[in-house]
Amino acid sequence: MIVLNTFDRIKSIFPAAVHRSEDASGDHDWFETQNGTVFGLPTFELTEREQQLLRMWATPILQSDPHQRKWQERLQDDTFRFEQPFRLITLSLQETEEESLDSFISIVHDFMPHAEMIVMTQKHLELIEQDTFSDLQEFEDVLRAIASDCFIEAYAVYSERPQGNLAHVYRQHQLLIPYARLSTKTYPASQLLYHYLLQEQDSKERIRRIAPLLEPLDLSTIELLESLFSHSLNVSHTAKALFMHRNTLNYRLDRLFETTGYDARKFYDASLLQLMVTLHKSD
């Protein structure tokens, strides 16, 4: 597992390190690696050599108010669920000075005043919207303006869910954010996961990543999806081919969306589901 391997390497350099999932007693300073691993070190004075090693691995998680800390913890908490629609947007920032970061936060907050903004590190922000979602095209325009005015490039990936586990989506974003190549574009996670699965050479790792999504793909669901794909995502034509009422088909697709987080009626989600069906049948 990537997270454990990363933490094991950190532990070999800093034996006192604790993982976010552990019960840490005493005062700790918390850090985040590029792949989203969060670990803590007891608050003490590090040597210059230790500081250099630490900067190679991680970025300090910014100390924040109780409200921010609550959301930082929820992003790591496998028991926390949303029971209503939500969208998570992960932002990886480049070339951020403290003053520029403040300007960035202010601009984004003005555009999305209803969103929860969680400042993880000086290079990593999370945005959570519930029920009402901002227009992503307009959001990309905001990122383009920020890159020009504040000299900050923000690489973004998002997921929309009808409900579900926040930490699962958060961890997936940490895996996928390196695949977001353009700072002025907001990528759906399904598009990046598609590319990840094609590039991942380790078949066991690939299967592990998609295993939770394969569970609801029984034979009848695979038949339904393959018919939908062959009819270019046209629900009416698919229902006719399956001798099924259109409302029944939409109901089954809604249930699949709730279970997997991917809507087969949308292009990028459908592409990912088609790849998973192919992998499922080949494995």
Side-chain angles (χ1 to χ4, degrees), residues 31-280:
F31 302 86
E32 180 184 68
T33 66
Q34 290 184 350
N35 73 349
T37 300
V38 175
F39 67 95
L41 290 174
T43 302
F44 54 77
E45 197 70 30
L46 297 175
T47 67
E48 184 175 346
R49 174 59 176 164
E50 288 172 330
Q51 290 176 355
Q52 290 174 347
L53 288 171
L54 193 57
R55 284 196 292 270
M56 292 173 60
W57 284 99
T59 303
I61 290 182
L62 299 179
Q63 301 302 312
S64 53
D65 60 51
H67 182 77
Q68 281 274 298
R69 285 198 298 272
K70 176 184 73 175
W71 281 103
Q72 288 177 352
E73 291 169 359
R74 283 177 172 176
L75 288 167
Q76 308 283 340
D77 183 0
D78 282 319
T79 66
F80 179 78
R81 286 179 53 87
F82 282 112
E83 300 300 337
Q84 71 274 359
F86 72 98
R87 174 198 278 165
L88 180 67
I89 303 177
T90 295
L91 296 169
S92 177
L93 310 181
Q94 303 294 323
E95 306 300 328
T96 52
E97 301 294 337
E98 185 174 349
E99 185 176 338
S100 298
L101 178 63
D102 291 341
S103 298
F104 180 95
I105 291 173
S106 177
I107 294 170
V108 173
H109 183 266
D110 287 344
F111 177 72
M112 305 169 68
H114 59 282
E116 290 287 352
M117 183 183 300
I118 303 102
V119 183
M120 301 295 290
T121 74
Q122 196 165 327
K123 297 182 178 181
H124 174 193
L125 273 69
E126 298 287 339
L127 301 170
I128 300 175
E129 295 181 293
Q130 300 177 61
D131 297 319
T132 302
F133 300 155
S134 303
D135 183 274
L136 287 175
Q137 184 58 59
E138 293 180 3
F139 183 64
E140 289 182 359
D141 292 340
V142 170
L143 294 183
R144 193 173 298 113
I146 291 174
S148 175
D149 296 343
C150 302
F151 306 104
I152 293 180
E153 294 186 343
Y155 297 83
V157 57
Y158 75 92
S159 294
E160 295 177 9
R161 295 286 189 271
Q163 60 184 23
N165 184 295
L166 177 63
H168 173 77
V169 180
Y170 170 76
R171 284 196 296 269
Q172 187 180 89
H173 282 197
Q174 304 316 302
L175 172 75
L176 299 175
I177 194 68
Y179 292 86
R181 306 298 186 188
L182 300 176
S183 65
T184 56
K185 180 175 173 58
T186 305
Y187 293 88
S190 52
Q191 180 184 1
L192 300 183
L193 184 56
Y194 181 94
H195 291 295
Y196 169 83
L197 293 175
L198 287 179
Q199 294 181 44
E200 176 58 55
Q201 299 300 312
D202 187 338
S203 59
K204 290 184 179 178
E205 174 64 17
R206 185 169 61 183
I207 292 172
R208 188 182 73 81
R209 290 291 178 188
I210 64 174
L213 304 178
L214 293 177
E215 291 178 4
L217 298 185
D218 55 24
L219 290 178
S220 64
T221 302
I222 289 175
E223 180 185 5
L224 183 152
L225 288 173
E226 289 184 323
S227 181
L228 183 68
F229 301 149
S230 67
H231 289 90
S232 303
L233 308 187
N234 187 301
V235 173
S236 297
H237 292 172
T238 303
K240 184 177 181 181
L242 294 174
F243 304 100
M244 185 182 296
H245 194 281
R246 192 175 188 276
N247 290 344
T248 302
L249 176 57
N250 275 318
Y251 174 82
R252 291 190 61 184
L253 293 175
D254 287 341
R255 298 291 75 76
L256 184 65
F257 180 33
E258 289 182 4
T259 305
T260 65
Y262 299 107
D263 189 343
R265 291 156 294 198
K266 295 182 178 179
F267 175 77
Y268 287 121
D269 288 9
S271 298
L272 176 62
L273 287 168
Q274 185 176 39
L275 176 60
M276 287 193 294
V277 167
T278 301
L279 294 174
H280 183 50

